[in-house]
Amino acid sequence: MKRKLIAAVGVAGMVIGLAACGDSEDGKAKADAGPKEITVWVMDGSAPKAWIDEVNKEFSAKHPGVTVKVEEQKWTGIQEKVTTALSENSPPDVLELGNTQTAGYAVTGGLADLTKDKAKLGADAWQKSMLASAEVDGKLYSAPWYAANRVVIYDKKAFEKAGVTPPKTRDEWVAGLEKLKAADPASQPIYLPGQSWYILAGLIWDEGGELATKDGDKWKGGLATPQAASAMEFYKKLQSFSTAPKDKDEATPQQSVDIVPKGGVSSWIGLGWEAGGAEKALKEAGKEADFGYFPIPGKTADKSGTVFLGGSNLAVAERSKNKELAKEWLALAAGKDQMTKYAVETKGALLPNQAGANFAAPAGSFAEAMAKAGLNGKITPVTAGWANVETEPNPIKEFMTKVLNGEDPAKAGAAADAEIAKRINK
């Protein structure tokens, strides 16, 4: 329904717009002569004020007299708000979109085609793993902005007591967990809920598999495959070292503030904000956090495990009244100079869209581990229907719980694939 709404309003809007242009050239001239303003939507917490001020300062120097109105949005309910805004006559000119949401807005005609603007936007410098979420069928509809990925967070004291050092391979990882279990049977060597599907996605990618693949003009699920079965076998081995529930994800309960601060967890897998949340919760409880960090190990030492790159893109609305100015602002925001400043402002908590802008993270920091892991990052299938797959009850999560409870991976995978195909092809 949302796609139909955008399409219908878009066609009606074009008809009205063409009629208006034909009726009043004087009105158009007066509008062009008036003061210019572009509106930029960013999500709460994404854009440090100092950085936004720098971008707008540089933009104003090149375009005196043009005002940039920056409006912060909340993630809650944002998809509905963006869908509505893009169907209206005065949408925001530039807007931040989750990287897994971009394709959905692109295929409905809500976003401007930026393919011819690649050179001006500096697309050649963008990380290929991030660029993938900004393109649909070979056309560019947004600029990758930032990304973040998970790493293993560990208790340095627990590792030291067990004689464990950060592993480089899966085998070393499991061997270390066995040592941790032997050194302190009362603690969890790793806290790993049964439905942390972003982690499973990385393991499937390591095996050469995919969550879903294109089959002609349709999509099909990729869980009833040997690759997914192998990935799930390793996930099950990791999960055997944890007492976390098999039918919950990392947010229920929230691992960083509800589980880790209580103690008894030697390691866990999380994002930067989760590490920060755990440190704050421990401090408030009168305890001291002493965390170390390392990328999820790969099958061999020469390459870390593949990780899901969650993040945001910046797009220009197709119905923007100031499309060229919006592209100019976007080129500055997504360019190397401003992305370098962005990485500094966020202190490496987020990965910029190009390696040349990376923050020089302190040795041993979360940012350092995340940057290393992010070099081997991927995203979920780039198609509008993928958002339907993630809607609860998520079939990937259900697949994981079934296998962890003893069901045959092929049988569980077939059921999940049927549901994935149903949802992704809507």
Side-chain angles (χ1 to χ4, degrees):
M1 291 299 293
K2 292 175 185 174
R3 295 180 208 167
K4 291 179 182 177
L5 173 64
I6 290 180
V9 177
V11 171
M14 284 190 285
V15 172
I16 293 170
L18 288 171
C21 288
D23 290 344
S24 178
E25 286 298 325
D26 290 341
K28 180 180 183 298
K30 288 178 181 178
D32 290 344
K36 290 285 187 180
E37 178 181 270
I38 63 170
T39 300
V40 178
W41 277 12
V42 294
M43 302 309 300
D44 181 27
S46 292
K49 185 178 184 304
W51 178 77
I52 278 287
D53 288 346
E54 279 292 316
V55 176
N56 290 341
K57 180 180 178 181
E58 184 177 357
F59 179 82
S60 295
K62 294 183 177 181
H63 303 281
V66 180
T67 302
V68 181
K69 184 180 179 183
V70 179
E71 298 179 351
E72 280 198 353
Q73 307 296 322
K74 301 292 184 182
W75 282 108
T76 303
I78 190 59
Q79 292 195 47
E80 293 79 4
K81 188 170 185 178
V82 169
T83 298
T84 300
L86 292 177
S87 71
E88 295 176 338
N89 289 327
S90 299
D93 300 285
V94 180
L95 63 164
E96 175 184 352
L97 303 171
N99 64 353
T100 62
Q101 303 169 355
T102 304
Y105 297 119
V107 299
T108 55
L111 306 181
D113 183 348
L114 304 174
T115 309
K116 294 181 180 178
D117 302 286
K118 277 188 171 184
K120 180 170 68 177
L121 295 172
D124 287 345
W126 297 339
Q127 291 198 46
K128 297 296 182 271
S129 55
M130 293 190 195
L131 177 59
S133 71
E135 294 182 314
V136 179
D137 296 330
K139 294 183 178 181
L140 183 71
Y141 287 97
S142 64
W145 185 12
Y146 67 81
N149 53 263
R150 293 162 177 79
V151 304
V152 181
I153 305 165
Y154 70 95
D155 184 328
K156 289 182 179 178
K157 291 180 181 178
F159 269 52
E160 183 179 355
K161 178 182 176 182
V164 177
T165 55
K168 299 292 186 183
T169 66
R170 286 188 184 181
D171 289 342
E172 290 178 6
W173 194 9
V174 171
L177 294 175
E178 290 173 344
K179 284 186 177 181
L180 287 163
K181 184 176 182 179
D184 187 357
S187 294
Q188 296 185 70
I190 185 171
Y191 180 81
L192 182 62
Q195 295 186 341
S196 292
W197 72 274
Y198 285 124
I199 297 170
L200 175 66
L203 300 180
I204 291 175
W205 290 327
D206 281 345
E207 297 293 340
E210 296 288 347
L211 296 171
T213 55
K214 198 76 178 288
D215 184 20
D217 60 350
K218 297 287 186 179
W219 286 79
K220 64 179 182 179
L223 300 184
T225 61
Q227 294 90 344
S230 295
M232 201 56 221
E233 180 182 358
F234 183 67
Y235 191 99
K236 190 172 185 178
K237 183 178 294 184
L238 292 177
Q239 219 272 330
S240 70
F241 291 97
S242 177
T243 59
K246 293 179 172 60
D247 60 349
K248 303 292 182 184
D249 61 20
E250 66 278 6
T252 47
Q254 177 52 247
Q255 60 182 7
S256 59
V257 295
D258 295 329
I259 300 298
V260 174
K262 293 178 181 178
V265 174
S266 298
S267 66
W268 48 296
I269 301 170
L271 294 160
W273 67 265
E274 290 181 290
E279 289 178 353
K280 182 180 179 182
L282 283 164
K283 185 176 181 180
E284 290 174 349
K287 301 175 184 178
E288 181 182 356
D290 190 15
F291 293 145
Y293 314 95
F294 59 86
I296 293 174
K299 301 182 76 171
T300 57
D302 61 320
K303 188 178 183 181
S304 63
T306 312
V307 291
F308 168 71
L309 281 177
S312 284
N313 299 335
L314 290 170
V316 173
E318 171 60 24
R319 305 185 75 185
S320 165
K321 290 182 172 60
N322 299 294
K323 202 175 292 182
E324 293 308 312
L325 286 172
K327 292 176 184 178
E328 292 284 346
W329 190 93
L330 180 57
L332 291 177
K336 182 179 179 181
D337 289 347
Q338 289 296 344
M339 288 310 305
T340 300
K341 294 175 183 177
Y342 183 79
V344 172
E345 283 292 333
T346 58
K347 297 180 174 60
L350 299 169
L351 297 173
N353 64 13
Q354 49 199 287
N358 275 342
F359 176 70
S365 66
F366 183 97
E368 181 188 52
M370 182 179 69
K372 289 179 180 178
L375 295 175
N376 192 23
K378 290 188 66 172
I379 63 168
T380 50
V382 182
T383 176
W386 182 255
N388 300 325
V389 177
E390 294 189 22
T391 302
E392 297 294 344
N394 184 325
I396 306 173
K397 291 182 176 182
E398 294 185 333
F399 161 75
M400 297 173 74
T401 297
K402 287 178 181 179
V403 177
L404 290 174
N405 285 331
E407 188 168 316
D408 176 62
K411 179 182 177 182
D417 283 351
E419 184 63 21
I420 289 172
K422 178 183 175 181
R423 295 187 186 195
I424 200 171
N425 290 308
K426 281 185 179 179

